[in-house]
Amino acid sequence: MSEHPDRTTLAKYLEGEPVDDRLAIATHLADCADCQNELDALEATFRLHDNVLDFIESRRSDRERPLEQFDILATRQRMGAEAARAESFFGDLMRLPIEEWPSAFEANPQHCTEGMVLRLLTEVELEVKRRPQHALLLINVAETVTGSLDIPAIHVCAGDCWKQRANALRHLGRYAESLEAADLAAAFYRLLPLGDFEIGQALYTRAITLFKMTHYEEALSALQSAKELLREFGDTMPLAKTLILEACVRFEQGEIDWAEKTWLEVVPMLKRFDDRIELARVRANLAECSLKRGRPASALAQAQAAATGFAELQMDAERIRSEWMVAAILRALGEHDRALELLYSASASFRALGMTSDAGFVNLDITEELLRRNEWSEAANIARELAGLFTAAGVTLASVTALSYLRTAVEGERATPALVRYVRDYVAADDPARAFSAPS
Amino acid sequence: MLKDFDAALTDRVADSYEAYYDLLRFIARRRFRIPAPDIQPLIHDVFVSFMRHEKVIGEDRRWLIAAIGNACRNYWRNIRPGQQLDNELLDPRTPVDEVLARHDVALLFAKLPVACRSILRLRYVEGLNPREIAARYGTSPGYIRLKVHRCLAAARRALGERS
């Protein structure tokens, strides 16, 4: 056969259908790599639609019940029972000072289980923001229990302990140690039979610390690696959190479009997981994006949705911040009366929570708005409160000097909204090395 | 309430196990050429990991396929330390997307009459035109066009039933 057989002939040949000269085609295929490749490709496509089901069907009849040790439902039952025992023993532990927990485990070695480590680390997740130092103590106990486990549980639990330690150390501001802890978590996860999902989360943990350190490029690099690993697993909360953090970094770098697009991508995922806290946070972030991009109407809807979300979750501080943002957007929309009403409300709410620094910054906004209206007397009343609020928040003496300068200017009816913004920037920086000087 | 939630999660594991065990076995056997006796422990590891993470997983099938791929690649790394894996096995996206597509197409085709399966395969998998298909069946290209149209309508209906 001198000519190459066409695709149809090859297809017939492959399926055993009648062709003109079967032997000639076979001989040609032996000599012609192109045609052999074409035949291989055809074979692959022929199998496209039926090989999965063929395989499954052919094995269904001889599918044995899994051996006892590989029976996943039995494993599930075992894990459930272990978790229940851990919960019960955890209740006993809670009645003891944490310093006595290691001896409690020594006396009850039967409770040194993977379920116990998971229970301890659940407690760490609850405590890590509020009491990071206590969280570190809990992690130490979890690590002691981990030491008595077998492979691969010991690797996954050790990885989890180091990941949580990275979080606690970050909350304590011990960033270098936090990064080392995140790296150790990843190292343990690499020992797992399937650890990519966990490694992605360890990289995310590393990225949060880098973000806090404002090492944005390094954070983005870690997030990129995390994304590559996590995306393979479809929509998951770790992927959603990775994307959210990436958007935060981009936002800080001034890439507002990128940040907004990414946060929008995450919204359906958060709805799917019913993570209302993250959803409200993302909506607040989207409001800031819209405002920065000159779309106050869209920003208003997002900020109001965020405030409603935080209110439902009874997260007061976040709700007040979102309402403060609503006020800023209303000012941009020219609705000054409603804005001022919200600002007064936000200031009072922050003070009620003891958040004097935030109350002070809201009062600066109120002062600016009152100056715009030439309401000097009320502006002076507000300005007089500023030094007290910020002093209670512990700002430097230089910032207090700046606030006194502003108060005097307001009382003398010389202050302008621009001066308020100047003082606000100075107090926000609160840099003891930079003495206050009045604007020229 | 918590009990109900845990029960729902347990059912999810049981349902996923029933639905995807064979698919995972297919991937391990055919895609990664894992020896038969070693497949069951690998799948067990995958489901143990699934149970640890089920609350944060959105797409069970996709997660499980990615996890078995991860487990199979590590299996070969452990068996042959220091040896580079085939590029085909290293690209995580290929097996997931390829197997998901195959599985979906297979399930869809399985719902169609045999004649439709053959015609759609010739038309869209092999890329033959109606004239070439007609030549195979000894009929007219017009009849093949009509048949393709009807088979696509049947496929759409089957898709609708699935979703």
Side-chain angles (χ1 to χ4, degrees):
Chain A
M1 179 176 239
S2 56
E3 288 179 12
H4 301 291
D6 61 20
R7 205 173 150 83
T8 305
T9 307
L10 280 177
K12 285 181 177 176
Y13 172 83
L14 190 63
E15 290 199 305
E17 290 180 20
V19 284
D20 285 345
D21 190 345
R22 206 167 180 82
L23 184 61
I25 294 174
T27 312
H28 179 82
L29 284 169
D31 293 335
C32 177
D34 287 346
C35 286
Q36 186 57 52
N37 287 342
E38 180 76 13
L39 189 78
D40 291 343
L42 268 177
E43 189 175 14
T45 52
F46 272 24
R47 298 190 63 78
L48 180 71
H49 78 263
D50 56 8
N51 60 359
V52 179
L53 287 192
D54 281 355
F55 179 87
I56 290 173
E57 286 307 318
S58 70
R59 299 297 198 281
R60 202 177 284 282
S61 54
D62 66 7
R63 179 168 154 189
E64 323 125 13
R65 181 172 166 72
L67 301 170
E68 180 66 23
Q69 60 173 322
F70 299 126
D71 185 339
I72 198 67
L73 297 179
T75 303
R76 169 83 200 188
Q77 216 164 10
R78 252 195 330 267
M79 285 169 72
E82 198 176 285
R85 281 196 301 275
E87 187 63 46
S88 165
F89 190 61
F90 188 76
D92 297 341
L93 290 173
M94 288 294 271
R95 285 188 274 277
L96 300 171
I98 194 163
E99 293 75 20
E100 291 179 23
W101 291 16
S103 11
F105 278 109
E106 272 174 35
N108 297 277
Q110 74 278 14
H111 287 297
C112 291
T113 61
E114 185 180 356
M116 193 69 234
V117 176
L118 293 176
R119 179 62 189 88
L120 288 163
L121 293 180
T122 302
E123 198 63 17
V124 170
E125 281 177 30
L126 296 173
E127 293 283 2
V128 73
K129 275 187 192 164
R130 202 165 55 92
R131 294 196 293 164
Q133 197 67 52
H134 180 69
L136 280 178
L137 296 176
L138 286 166
I139 294 164
N140 290 344
V141 177
E143 207 162 40
T144 308
V145 178
T146 297
S148 57
L149 303 177
D150 296 325
I151 291 172
I154 192 171
H155 292 150
V156 71
C157 289
D160 289 351
C161 286
W162 280 105
K163 186 178 75 176
Q164 290 299 349
R165 188 171 278 133
N167 287 326
L169 291 167
R170 185 182 64 251
H171 283 291
L172 288 166
R174 292 158 62 179
Y175 294 140
E177 292 166 86
S178 169
L179 291 177
E180 281 174 20
D183 289 346
L184 274 167
F188 274 109
Y189 290 146
R190 284 195 187 93
L191 299 172
L192 295 175
L194 59 154
D196 283 1
F197 192 60
E198 282 86 357
I199 295 168
Q201 292 174 68
L203 287 166
Y204 162 77
T205 305
R206 178 181 171 77
I208 314 175
T209 303
L210 289 165
F211 175 67
K212 291 282 178 193
M213 296 167 80
T214 68
H215 291 188
Y216 295 141
E217 288 307 323
E218 283 177 77
L220 282 178
S221 167
L223 287 167
Q224 182 59 33
S225 305
K227 256 192 337 182
E228 279 170 17
L229 288 174
L230 294 172
R231 270 213 195 274
E232 189 191 349
F233 293 87
D235 285 355
T236 60
M237 266 314 290
L239 175 64
K241 287 185 175 179
T242 301
L243 293 172
I244 290 169
L245 182 60
E246 185 190 24
C248 291
V249 178
R250 300 284 183 185
F251 187 87
E252 290 300 325
Q253 290 183 318
E255 294 182 60
I256 310 298
D257 287 7
W258 187 308
E260 185 176 40
K261 198 175 140 204
T262 307
W263 276 321
L264 283 171
E265 182 191 347
V266 171
V267 167
M269 265 195 250
L270 296 177
K271 285 183 179 169
R272 178 179 194 165
F273 287 104
D274 196 27
D275 191 329
R276 293 182 294 155
I277 296 176
E278 288 296 340
L279 190 58
R281 285 183 182 141
V282 165
R283 284 194 164 129
N285 294 341
L286 284 168
E288 280 202 49
C289 287
S290 293
L291 195 58
K292 277 190 184 286
R293 296 185 67 195
R295 298 190 316 248
S298 158
L300 184 62
Q302 294 284 10
Q304 284 172 330
T308 305
F310 286 130
E312 284 169 2
L313 293 159
Q314 296 180 316
M315 294 172 71
D316 291 336
E318 286 84 351
R319 172 186 56 79
I320 303 162
R321 283 208 182 91
S322 296
E323 287 170 353
W324 182 10
M325 193 191 301
V326 169
I329 297 164
L330 287 172
R331 287 174 72 197
L333 285 166
E335 295 189 40
H336 295 282
D337 289 347
R338 275 178 67 198
L340 194 57
E341 206 176 298
L342 274 176
L343 287 173
Y344 275 114
S345 162
S347 173
S349 303
F350 274 136
R351 267 184 289 194
L353 290 179
M355 299 172 71
T356 51
S357 171
D358 292 275
F361 281 110
V362 175
N363 273 18
L364 282 167
D365 283 0
I366 295 174
T367 308
E368 189 183 336
E369 179 60 24
L370 292 170
L371 293 188
R372 197 194 60 79
R373 295 158 175 249
N374 290 320
E375 293 183 18
W376 292 102
S377 166
E378 177 62 6
N381 287 338
I382 298 293
R384 281 182 206 112
E385 293 177 3
L386 289 170
L389 285 169
F390 279 108
T391 304
V395 296
T396 59
L397 192 59
S399 287
V400 177
T401 307
L403 293 162
S404 298
Y405 178 85
L406 175 65
R407 189 203 67 217
T408 310
V410 174
E411 286 172 341
E413 300 192 3
R414 298 185 310 276
T416 61
L419 175 65
V420 179
R421 288 194 288 274
Y422 178 84
V423 171
R424 182 199 289 118
D425 289 347
Y426 184 84
V427 176
D430 198 31
D431 180 359
R434 189 161 63 97
F436 177 73
S437 57
S440 47
Chain B
M1 185 66 185
L2 189 65
K3 209 171 232 179
D4 289 349
F5 184 63
D6 279 345
L9 290 178
T10 308
D11 287 345
R12 183 178 170 190
V13 173
D15 291 348
S16 295
Y17 190 76
E18 190 54 37
Y20 305 125
Y21 180 89
D22 290 315
L23 181 62
L24 299 187
R25 197 159 60 151
F26 168 79
I27 294 167
R29 187 87 185 96
R30 289 288 177 87
R31 177 73 178 73
F32 289 96
R33 298 178 197 94
I34 303 291
D38 294 333
I39 291 176
Q40 205 172 56
L42 281 186
I43 295 179
H44 183 266
D45 286 343
V46 166
F47 273 97
V48 169
S49 185
F50 178 75
M51 286 190 286
R52 282 179 62 95
H53 299 298
E54 60 190 312
K55 289 176 191 171
V56 298
I57 295 170
E59 302 167 77
D60 295 359
R61 185 177 62 158
R62 192 174 180 95
W63 194 95
L64 290 165
I65 290 175
I68 192 71
N70 183 197
C72 291
R73 282 190 295 274
N74 284 349
Y75 172 90
W76 285 121
R77 284 190 186 109
N78 290 337
I79 296 262
R80 300 169 185 164
Q83 274 190 36
Q84 183 72 24
L85 290 185
D86 290 351
N87 285 337
E88 192 192 1
L89 298 187
L90 280 173
D91 183 356
R93 285 157 302 183
T94 312
V96 175
D97 294 339
E98 182 191 323
V99 172
L100 281 175
R102 281 181 181 209
H103 194 237
D104 285 345
V105 171
L107 289 175
L108 179 62
F109 270 40
K111 290 190 167 188
L112 298 178
V114 175
C116 274
R117 286 188 219 174
S118 305
I119 284 186
L120 290 182
R121 192 183 71 186
L122 291 170
R123 180 75 186 91
Y124 296 107
V125 178
E126 292 181 40
L128 303 187
N129 62 35
R131 188 179 48 76
E132 290 166 322
I133 301 172
R136 280 195 171 200
Y137 282 91
T139 184
S140 70
Y143 175 74
I144 294 298
R145 282 191 199 94
L146 179 67
K147 194 76 186 156
V148 166
H149 175 75
R150 285 179 180 161
C151 290
L152 283 177
R156 273 188 218 103
R157 279 196 299 279
L159 263 181
E161 284 167 21
R162 280 193 67 203
S163 60

